[in-house]
Amino acid sequence: MRNIKLTIEYDGTRYCGWQIQPDNITIQEELEKAITKITKEKIKLIGSGRTDSGVHARGQVANFYTKSRVPAQKFKLAINSLLPKDIAVLESEEVEKDFHARFSAKGKEYKYLIYNNKIRSPLLRNYTYHVPYSLNVEKMKKAATHIIGTHDFKAFMSSGSSVKDTVRTIHSLSIEERPENIIEIRIKGNGFLYNMVRIITGTLIEVGTDKIPVDDISEIINSQNRSKAGHTAPPQGLYLERVFYRETS
Amino acid sequence: MRNIKLTIEYDGTRYCGWQIQPDNITIQEELEKAITKITKEKIKLIGSGRTDSGVHARGQVANFYTKSRVPAQKFKLAINSLLPKDIAVLESEEVEKDFHARFSAKGKEYKYLIYNNKIRSPLLRNYTYHVPYSLNVEKMKKAATHIIGTHDFKAFMSSGSSVKDTVRTIHSLSIEERPENIIEIRIKGNGFLYNMVRIITGTLIEVGTDKIPVDDISEIINSQNRSKAGHTAPPQGLYLERVFYRETS
């Protein structure tokens, strides 16, 4: 059996997230259907992790095992020709047998886009979180410094997750003002709890509007209490940018 | 009667263009419906010009006459609360009785976005023209210098237009490489013929791929022959950015 790794971009707007579920269209299902058509095998695609309904990806990673002799590079073009326009394979390559998109992952990078303007933007409605009140970005940057590092992030995990070990390391967390009222948050870490990036974003926004004082961030983390952190920012501003598979990346 | 001017942003993806037509949803219709609900009058909205199906706007301008006493600034919020999420009024203001969104216009600015990468982008599919072959941007810039100025642009007008005077002035035409494989074309002029920006873009792209030599541009213009110019670039890369109402803008 050969092991094929895919790097995938998708617009999550139309989908009920990554993971296959009955009665709803998902990105995993669309990809498995396309690959099955090419290989004539029943394909099980292993993703680096789920993304929720409405969340986008510019570098989701997945792998599958196949007996097909299609050259690894050709899979990209063959799969793309069968996919809907809101999903594309950016790269396809053959990897070692023990590569596992989820268990081999060493970390991930996410981007979150805020549209900070009084009036909502029709063009950005599915690709940003519209925040109509003014944000103090300097305060948000200060708050970010308290989030970077190794902490128990239980306060930043949505209920419903069965994860036991809630300690994670955030390697970097930047907040930049971009042209045309966009605020871009980038966050890299060794792993993320359920909704963690969206709760961090919601908390940073509440710091930016003076609802949460900068100095409370460490206390919120230490509380391990979800109700102390800010709201969960909506899915459409979130992008899975990259999955890392080497410690050095 | 009061005369209200609106500045409008829309995502053209779902619409059959600006202008009302039977059996198809249009942007003008959605706006007229919303305004009629507020004023309880039969509203006729005058746009600065049509946009085609799939074309976007970040600064379309329109005006309407009303007896309503709703403060001009309030129209913005009231209309937005009734519009679908892919249309928004950015500004509403009261203007002189003789202001006419179309006849008073002194010029327009359009933007055209090309996604220049081998693989198509799911996230940008409705907002850029995907050009998978490499483009020589320096040659495109040289070609642009031949298009700037006052010319008879008949060669850059789609058939089906009944316009007689095809002389227009292009004030500026810039081509810039942006991050992440985006090429941005910006064009300002005193007026544009039917599909003129999209045919200019298609022609510039053919210069960028060496299908049309830079030195042929003046000859193409002088030919007044549509078949000499390049293809019509698709609608989803085109944005109406601004409409100018003073000579100095």
Side-chain angles (χ1 to χ4, degrees):
Chain A
M1 296 283 268
R2 298 161 68 214
N3 189 6
I4 307 293
K5 177 190 175 195
L6 305 178
T7 306
I8 304 147
E9 176 177 327
Y10 49 83
D11 178 336
T13 308
R14 255 187 352 117
Y15 296 94
C16 289
W18 168 266
Q19 193 176 54
I20 285 187
Q21 40 181 279
D23 305 326
N24 285 311
I25 62 162
T26 64
I27 295 133
Q28 187 187 7
E29 182 186 348
E30 294 290 346
L31 283 158
E32 287 188 2
K33 275 193 325 201
I35 301 165
T36 293
K37 269 194 192 161
I38 297 161
T39 64
K40 323 279 187 215
E41 302 159 318
K42 171 97 188 101
I43 289 295
K44 170 88 181 114
L45 193 61
I46 301 159
S48 76
R50 306 176 192 182
T51 55
D52 280 338
S53 179
V55 172
H56 313 294
R58 306 204 312 162
Q60 170 68 293
V61 174
N63 72 296
F64 65 93
Y65 294 93
T66 180
K67 287 180 181 156
S68 158
R69 294 189 184 177
V70 173
Q73 299 292 329
K74 287 277 166 73
F75 268 113
K76 177 170 69 177
L77 300 169
I79 299 171
N80 283 341
S81 72
L82 296 169
L83 283 173
K85 294 288 177 213
D86 49 8
I87 308 176
V89 174
L90 305 180
E91 297 202 31
S92 56
E93 54 193 309
E94 189 163 349
V95 288
E96 309 258 306
K97 295 235 172 341
D98 64 353
F99 174 88
H100 186 284
R102 183 164 157 223
F103 298 134
S104 305
K106 300 290 186 232
K108 286 181 180 170
E109 178 179 359
Y110 285 94
K111 177 175 79 176
Y112 197 99
L113 296 182
I114 296 164
Y115 181 64
N116 190 25
N117 198 24
K118 277 192 185 160
I119 304 283
R120 62 184 171 76
S121 168
L123 283 159
L124 300 175
R125 73 195 184 288
N126 293 328
Y127 307 102
T128 58
Y129 176 19
H130 176 220
V131 176
Y133 27 82
S134 79
L135 292 172
N136 186 324
V137 174
E138 288 315 307
K139 283 189 182 172
M140 292 168 71
K141 286 182 182 181
K142 273 185 199 151
T145 64
H146 296 289
I147 294 170
I148 294 167
T150 302
H151 306 285
D152 186 327
F153 281 102
K154 198 175 172 193
F156 295 82
M157 177 176 77
S158 280
S159 61
S161 173
S162 60
V163 169
K164 290 281 178 295
D165 178 9
T166 49
V167 174
R168 296 291 183 278
T169 299
I170 299 300
H171 299 302
S172 65
L173 172 49
S174 68
I175 302 157
E176 298 295 337
E177 293 181 82
R178 301 287 181 212
E180 303 185 343
N181 309 306
I182 298 286
I183 297 171
E184 179 183 308
I185 298 174
R186 281 195 177 261
I187 185 163
K188 272 192 224 182
N190 68 348
F192 293 88
L193 304 169
Y194 185 51
N195 279 347
M196 182 168 154
V197 179
R198 290 165 56 187
I199 298 169
I200 287 174
T201 300
T203 304
L204 289 173
I205 287 168
E206 291 182 28
V207 168
T209 56
D210 284 329
K211 208 175 146 191
I212 294 177
V214 174
D215 293 336
D216 282 12
I217 295 294
S218 295
E219 207 177 299
I220 290 168
I221 294 173
N222 292 335
S223 78
Q224 300 184 27
N225 183 346
R226 170 69 190 91
S227 69
K228 301 282 185 191
H231 66 286
T232 306
Q236 77 277 3
L238 185 61
Y239 300 74
L240 172 56
E241 291 283 286
R242 283 208 285 175
V243 186
F244 301 108
Y245 289 96
R246 287 192 198 86
E247 297 286 2
T248 52
S249 294
Chain B
M1 295 286 267
R2 297 160 68 212
N3 190 7
I4 307 293
K5 177 190 175 193
L6 305 177
T7 305
I8 304 148
E9 176 177 326
Y10 49 82
D11 178 334
T13 308
R14 258 192 343 122
Y15 297 94
C16 288
W18 168 266
Q19 194 175 54
I20 285 187
Q21 38 180 281
D23 305 327
N24 285 312
I25 63 162
T26 63
I27 296 131
Q28 187 187 7
E29 184 187 347
E30 294 289 347
L31 283 159
E32 288 188 1
K33 274 194 325 202
I35 302 165
T36 294
K37 268 193 193 163
I38 297 161
T39 64
K40 324 280 188 211
E41 301 160 320
K42 172 97 187 101
I43 288 296
K44 171 88 181 117
L45 194 62
I46 301 160
S48 76
R50 306 175 192 183
T51 55
D52 279 338
S53 180
V55 172
H56 313 295
R58 306 205 313 162
Q60 171 67 293
V61 174
N63 72 296
F64 65 95
Y65 294 94
T66 180
K67 287 180 180 155
S68 157
R69 293 189 186 175
V70 173
Q73 299 290 328
K74 287 279 167 73
F75 269 113
K76 176 171 70 178
L77 301 169
I79 299 170
N80 284 341
S81 72
L82 296 168
L83 283 173
K85 295 288 177 213
D86 49 9
I87 309 177
V89 175
L90 306 180
E91 296 202 30
S92 56
E93 54 193 308
E94 190 164 348
V95 288
E96 310 256 307
K97 296 235 171 339
D98 64 351
F99 175 87
H100 186 285
R102 184 164 157 223
F103 298 134
S104 305
K106 299 290 186 230
K108 285 180 182 171
E109 179 178 358
Y110 285 94
K111 178 174 79 177
Y112 197 100
L113 296 182
I114 295 165
Y115 182 64
N116 190 26
N117 196 26
K118 277 192 186 162
I119 304 284
R120 61 184 170 78
S121 167
L123 283 159
L124 300 175
R125 72 195 185 289
N126 292 327
Y127 306 101
T128 58
Y129 176 20
H130 176 220
V131 175
Y133 26 83
S134 78
L135 293 172
N136 186 326
V137 174
E138 288 313 308
K139 283 190 183 174
M140 292 168 72
K141 286 182 181 182
K142 273 184 199 151
T145 64
H146 297 287
I147 294 169
I148 293 166
T150 302
H151 306 285
D152 186 329
F153 282 102
K154 198 175 171 190
F156 295 82
M157 177 177 76
S158 282
S159 60
S161 173
S162 59
V163 169
K164 290 280 179 290
D165 178 9
T166 49
V167 174
R168 296 291 182 279
T169 300
I170 299 300
H171 299 302
S172 65
L173 172 49
S174 69
I175 301 156
E176 298 296 337
E177 293 180 84
R178 300 289 181 210
E180 303 185 344
N181 308 307
I182 298 286
I183 296 171
E184 178 183 310
I185 298 174
R186 280 193 177 263
I187 184 162
K188 271 191 225 182
N190 68 348
F192 293 88
L193 304 169
Y194 186 52
N195 279 346
M196 181 167 154
V197 179
R198 289 165 55 188
I199 298 169
I200 288 175
T201 300
T203 304
L204 290 172
I205 286 168
E206 290 181 28
V207 169
T209 56
D210 284 328
K211 208 174 145 191
I212 295 177
V214 174
D215 293 336
D216 282 11
I217 296 293
S218 296
E219 207 177 300
I220 291 168
I221 295 173
N222 292 336
S223 76
Q224 301 183 26
N225 182 345
R226 170 68 190 91
S227 70
K228 301 283 186 192
H231 66 287
T232 305
Q236 78 277 3
L238 184 61
Y239 300 73
L240 173 56
E241 291 283 286
R242 283 207 287 174
V243 186
F244 301 107
Y245 289 97
R246 287 193 197 84
E247 296 287 3
T248 51
S249 292

